[in-house]
């Protein structure tokens, strides 16, 4: 072992993560070589001084700036859309489990029934009225299960579950008044922007119903988020709800409301 | 008298945890690794980045403050690093290391900063000054050089930026040389050699500055 070789291994000897019994040859050389000891000691002193440097602390500005930036990103249209899509995908999986699976089972049973009637050697008798009634009841029950799942989810506490509940109602063609009232309630009262937007999305197919139009119009004045406000105004225009004109007039002149919302209100008045 | 090995033992370096500012960290998330949190951010759970911020803004800021020698610039760059984490979250890999990725972004942001400040002087908002009670002393303040910390800060600032970078990464950020190699895009052996050269260079500058001090008095 010579000085050059030993000094090449100083990085390992100076690294506190190196085990004490490693590099025994280098340590033995160091113990017996005054030149290497001087070199090692000066490097060790520099490192020691470096380690004693006080840690700089950031000002509160960094934390405030970070959380403001995070909040802005969470509320951006792209993030909200991504969240809705993500929950919609999750809701589809849930739909498959709760609704589509029983429906598929029913369809399979019906397919088997028709195949049996077609290929059976003896012509099957026509379905009697009692069987027809039972089938109709079965279909109604399956649809009822779907509605119940959606209604139950709307009562859950977690925002994800509430959103999933709203999205479950999207594919229902004939949700009852109770579910529509729940959706309107979610639009008016839910603390999550994602849930409110999804509820509005779910109400679109039922824009012709008086309950829905009144609910959206009543929710508009209490809404604070510009994104949801603009979506509600778009809904009112799509529903051709002329009863909303006074409220839209008020909004278009209210300087405390976001400019994009005021512009949307003005456009809506012109379209109505 | 020749110093024995026990006398020249290096003081154990302070852990990153002890260097961090005390921050309110939710104990429920302590068990979640940085990697899992960043994967959650990538998948749209943006709140998980808040936990990563609480864990790493202190060490990241410390690294950038020593790298730039300027506290306000370090804060701006740290903010930009977290901004880029959000913007480029989809590029975070399943097999990635969060700290390596973070310092990789930090190097890029610092390089942008140095490019800008080399071409134009950085304006200073006087109202910001009160937020930085521990601002580094003016380099021209010769009296303050007698202080060891100031001398070392000065020596660090006189190092080549690449040398300063590798030294800070290897000494303060608890990164392995494999991770540093990943950040610097070189081999682990090369990273180790560069760190050692940087240390020797720092030692030479530091000792020269110490000799200059008494001569001026």
């Amino acid at each position: 072992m010579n000085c050059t070789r030993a000094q090449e291994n100083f990085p390992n000897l100076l690294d506190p993560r190196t085990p004490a019994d490693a590099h025994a040859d280098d340590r033995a050389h160091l113990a017996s070589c005054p030149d290497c000891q001087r070199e090692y000691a000066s490097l060790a002193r520099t490192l020691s001084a470096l380690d004693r440097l006080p840690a700089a602390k950031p000002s509160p500005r960094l934390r405030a700036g970070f959380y403001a930036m995070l909040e802005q990103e969470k509320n951006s249209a792209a993030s909200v859309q991504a969240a809705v899509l993500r929950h919609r995908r999750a809701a589809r999986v849930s739909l498959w489990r709760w609704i589509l699976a029983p429906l598929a089972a029913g369809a399979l049973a019906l397919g088997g029934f028709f195949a049996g009637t077609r290929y059976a050697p003896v012509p099957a008798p026509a379905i009697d009225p009692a069987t027809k009634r039972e089938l109709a009841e079965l279909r109604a029950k399956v649809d009822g299960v779907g509605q119940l799942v959606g209604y139950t989810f709307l009562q859950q506490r977690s925002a994800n579950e509430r959103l999933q509940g709203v999205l479950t109602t999207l594919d229902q063609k004939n949700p009852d008044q109770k579910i529509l009232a729940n959706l309107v309630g979610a639009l008016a009262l839910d603390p999550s922007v994602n849930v409110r937007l999804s509820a509005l999305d779910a109400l679109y197919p039922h824009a012709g119903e008086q309950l829905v139009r009144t609910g959206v119009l009543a929710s508009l004045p209490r809404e604070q988020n510009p994104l949801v406000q603009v979506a509600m105004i778009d809904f009112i225009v799509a529903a051709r709800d002329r009863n909303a004109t006074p409220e839209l007039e008020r909004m278009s002149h209210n300087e405390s409301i976001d400019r994009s919302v005021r512009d949307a209100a003005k456009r809506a008045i012109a379209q109505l | 008298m020749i110093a024995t090995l026990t006398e020249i033992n290096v003081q154990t370096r302070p852990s990153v945890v002890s260097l961090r500012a005390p921050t309110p960290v939710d104990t429920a998330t302590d068990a979640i690794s940085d990697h899992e949190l960043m994967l959650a951010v990538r998948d749209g759970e943006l709140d998980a980045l808040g936990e990563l911020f609480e864990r790493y803004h202190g060490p990241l800021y410390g690294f950038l403050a020593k790298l730039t020698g300027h506290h306000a610039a370090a804060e701006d760059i740290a903010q930009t690093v977290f901004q880029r984490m959000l913007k480029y979250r989809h590029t975070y890999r399943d097999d990635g290391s969060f700290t390596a990725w973070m310092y990789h972004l930090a190097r890029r942001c610092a390089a942008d900063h140095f490019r800008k400040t080399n071409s134009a002087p950085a304006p200073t908002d006087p109202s910001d000054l009160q937020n930085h009670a521990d601002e580094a002393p003016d380099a021209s303040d010769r009296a303050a050089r007698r202080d060891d910390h100031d001398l070392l800060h000065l020596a660090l600032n006189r190092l080549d930026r690449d040398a300063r970078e590798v030294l800070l990464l290897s000494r303060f950020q608890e990164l392995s040389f494999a991770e540093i190699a990943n950040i610097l895009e070189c081999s682990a052996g090369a990273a180790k050699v560069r760190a050692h050269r940087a240390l020797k260079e720092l030692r030479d500058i530091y000792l020269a500055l110490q000799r200059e001090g008494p001569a001026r008095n």
Side-chain angles (χ1 to χ4, degrees):
Chain A
M1 176 65 64
N2 58 32
C3 293
T4 311
R5 285 282 301 279
Q7 289 185 17
E8 276 174 5
N9 277 327
F10 276 3
N12 293 321
L13 299 184
L14 289 164
D15 189 340
R17 289 167 292 195
T18 306
D21 54 352
H23 306 286
D25 290 349
D26 299 317
R27 288 180 201 276
H29 174 84
L30 190 54
S32 62
C33 174
D35 287 342
C36 285
Q37 282 183 2
R38 268 192 294 274
E39 174 74 3
Y40 185 90
S42 69
L43 290 173
R45 271 196 299 272
T46 308
L47 273 181
S48 180
L50 201 58
D51 288 345
R52 282 198 306 271
L53 274 183
K57 289 179 182 171
S59 74
R61 190 175 70 114
L62 180 60
R63 178 177 275 110
F66 167 77
Y67 282 106
M69 181 261 296
L70 186 63
E71 202 53 36
Q72 194 180 7
E73 178 68 20
K74 277 161 63 182
N75 288 330
S76 74
S79 289
V80 170
Q81 199 177 11
V84 169
L85 284 174
R86 197 169 57 253
H87 288 295
R88 191 170 286 182
R89 273 199 300 275
R92 279 187 191 135
V93 172
S94 175
L95 274 175
W96 172 251
R97 188 177 298 164
W98 292 101
I99 300 170
L100 296 185
L103 278 179
L108 204 63
L110 281 175
F113 176 77
F114 285 120
T117 55
R118 182 165 182 176
Y119 297 109
V122 180
I127 302 170
D128 60 276
T131 311
K132 273 186 182 169
R133 201 168 51 247
E134 279 177 15
L135 278 173
E137 280 172 7
L138 186 63
R139 284 198 193 97
K141 275 182 187 169
V142 170
D143 193 38
V145 168
Q147 292 187 352
L148 187 62
V149 169
Y151 175 72
T152 310
F153 273 131
L154 284 181
Q155 309 303 314
Q156 301 295 324
R157 282 186 183 175
S158 133
N160 279 351
E161 286 172 327
R162 293 199 309 276
L163 185 63
Q164 203 164 339
V166 168
L167 294 170
T168 305
T169 64
L170 276 174
D171 296 333
Q172 290 180 14
K173 287 181 182 167
N174 299 306
D176 62 21
Q177 295 288 303
K178 197 171 184 180
I179 286 187
L180 289 180
N182 271 310
L183 287 171
V184 170
L187 176 67
L189 303 170
D190 200 285
S192 160
V193 171
N194 288 348
V195 174
R196 296 205 298 279
L197 280 173
S198 301
L200 191 64
D201 205 15
L203 288 171
Y204 257 92
H206 316 291
E209 302 234 8
Q210 191 56 40
L211 166 71
V212 174
R213 294 151 75 105
T214 311
V216 174
L217 184 53
S219 308
L220 185 56
R222 60 175 293 125
E223 180 57 55
Q224 297 296 316
N225 186 292
L227 202 63
V228 187
Q229 285 174 318
V230 171
M232 282 178 164
I233 292 170
D234 288 345
F235 179 95
I236 287 167
V237 172
R240 297 271 165 214
D241 187 359
R242 290 196 172 79
N243 293 332
T245 310
E247 178 58 26
L248 292 172
E249 287 278 8
R250 188 192 64 78
M251 289 180 83
S252 66
H253 293 109
N254 188 345
E255 293 291 326
S256 65
I257 293 179
D258 190 89
R259 188 185 177 85
S260 62
V261 180
R262 278 184 278 143
D263 290 345
K266 283 174 193 165
R267 278 198 307 276
I269 293 165
Q271 287 173 302
L272 289 174
Chain B
M1 193 70 174
I2 296 165
T4 62
L5 272 179
T6 50
E7 286 170 321
I8 55 177
N9 264 350
V10 189
Q11 181 188 337
T12 309
R13 64 176 166 176
S15 76
V16 170
V17 174
S18 68
L19 293 176
R20 288 181 205 160
T23 47
V25 175
D26 183 0
T27 49
T29 55
D30 277 354
I32 305 175
S33 72
D34 304 334
H35 182 62
E36 286 170 325
L37 283 170
M38 193 57 222
L39 287 178
V41 174
R42 189 187 69 179
D43 293 341
E45 297 292 334
L46 302 190
D47 283 330
L49 192 66
E51 174 61 22
L52 287 169
F53 174 84
E54 295 301 342
R55 287 184 189 180
Y56 285 103
H57 79 278
L60 176 67
Y61 171 79
F63 167 70
L64 292 167
K66 288 189 179 82
L67 188 65
T68 60
H70 196 277
H71 291 253
E75 280 191 359
D76 289 345
I77 300 170
Q79 172 86 8
T80 310
V81 171
F82 283 102
Q83 223 165 13
R84 289 197 186 175
M85 280 183 198
L86 267 183
K87 189 175 177 184
Y88 300 115
R89 58 185 183 266
H90 58 277
T91 65
Y92 186 74
R93 298 201 317 261
D94 286 334
D95 59 346
S97 150
F98 173 73
T99 44
W101 189 61
M102 179 178 75
Y103 285 111
H104 179 76
L105 290 178
R107 281 188 74 223
R108 295 279 175 93
C109 295
D112 290 347
H113 163 78
F114 286 120
R115 236 190 331 271
K116 277 181 202 160
T117 49
N118 282 347
S119 58
T124 303
D125 182 353
S127 63
D128 279 353
L129 294 178
Q130 59 187 3
N131 291 333
H132 303 291
D134 59 345
E135 190 73 65
D138 191 321
S140 66
D141 185 354
R142 291 171 190 279
R145 286 188 191 176
R146 282 174 294 181
D147 182 84
D148 244 18
H149 291 159
D150 294 333
L151 278 183
L152 204 53
H153 274 299
L154 198 55
L156 267 174
N157 285 337
R158 286 193 183 176
L159 272 184
D160 171 53
R161 181 154 56 86
D162 289 341
R164 195 160 64 227
E165 204 169 58
V166 71
L167 192 58
L168 294 175
L169 284 173
S170 65
R171 202 60 199 170
F172 289 104
Q173 311 306 323
E174 291 209 337
L175 295 167
S176 68
F177 276 105
E179 285 174 310
I180 295 170
N182 192 15
I183 295 167
L184 301 179
E185 294 167 348
C186 64
S187 69
K192 197 176 274 190
V193 169
R194 281 164 66 176
H196 190 59
R197 274 188 199 147
L199 176 63
K200 285 171 82 170
E201 202 181 330
L202 178 75
R203 186 259 325 257
D204 295 343
I205 299 171
Y206 181 50
L207 291 178
L209 286 171
Q210 276 182 327
R211 280 194 296 273
E212 272 178 35
R216 281 197 184 87
N217 296 328

